[in-house]
Amino acid sequence: MRPKHFSIDHGLFFLTVHCARGVKPFLIDKACQRYIMVLREKLDNFKSTLFAYVLMPDHVHLLLQLPENVTLKKLMNHINGASARKLNDILETTGNKLWQGGFYDVYLREPIDFAIKINYIHNNPVKAGIVQHPEDYKFSSARFYCTLFDSALFNTKIFSNHTLEAITSQISEILMSP
């Protein structure tokens, strides 16, 4: 049995959310666009910071920072509930189960974990054989990282001399700037 989710104010979490068996909504561009819209809206409402994401055909990976006084379960229930309604409308499957139920989470403690998870997220479409380079995939934060940092992937060695708080603070400032 999987342990219950725990939440830490300002904690950094790597999340994986699987679609219900046989459901692949993210093969449709409009479904991807709608999910990203819902994700941004819910994260803004809860004042949560998204550091990286990828939408694969049948699952989603997110790297986010929890705000104060919001549990991971509550945040994900809002995102999954709202996105299920919107995606079922697009797929014309209203009332069908979209998400497998629950999600997997990993609490990140070390700076290198942050870099490893971003690299994992951005490399997911490459590993799946969908694209050759992370930045070629439309529904991922990889393109954005390429624009900001000239690469979708991080050299993990540079993270060893910094604290996780310093890294996330600097990157969130960059992500939030106009």
Side-chain angles (χ1 to χ4, degrees), residues 59-99:
H59 68 279
V60 174
H61 291 297
L62 306 171
L63 196 156
L64 57 82
Q65 188 169 35
L66 272 184
E68 283 186 44
N69 303 317
V70 176
T71 66
L72 203 49
K73 185 176 179 178
K74 180 178 182 176
L75 178 63
M76 291 311 297
N77 282 344
H78 278 265
I79 291 169
N80 288 350
S83 63
R85 287 186 292 280
K86 299 287 187 185
L87 295 177
N88 273 322
D89 285 347
I90 290 169
L91 301 170
E92 297 178 359
T93 56
T94 302
N96 284 0
K97 185 175 179 178
L98 180 76
W99 299 111

Side-chain angles (χ1 to χ4, degrees), residues 15-34:
L15 305 168
T16 302
V17 186
H18 290 277
C19 296
R21 186 180 309 264
V23 178
K24 296 183 178 184
F26 302 118
L27 290 174
I28 301 167
D29 282 7
K30 187 174 180 181
C32 293
Q33 293 161 353
R34 189 67 53 93

Side-chain angles (χ1 to χ4, degrees), residues 174-178:
I174 293 168
L175 296 175
M176 301 302 171
S177 64

Side-chain angles (χ1 to χ4, degrees), residues 162-171:
H162 302 283
T163 66
L164 188 56
E165 185 178 291
I167 291 166
T168 57
S169 176
Q170 288 178 347
I171 292 177

Side-chain angles (χ1 to χ4, degrees), residues 139-157:
F139 300 108
S140 161
S141 51
R143 286 181 175 185
F144 185 67
Y145 274 75
C146 267
T147 303
L148 289 177
F149 304 109
D150 295 324
S151 176
L153 306 175
F154 285 120
N155 175 347
T156 56
K157 291 177 186 174

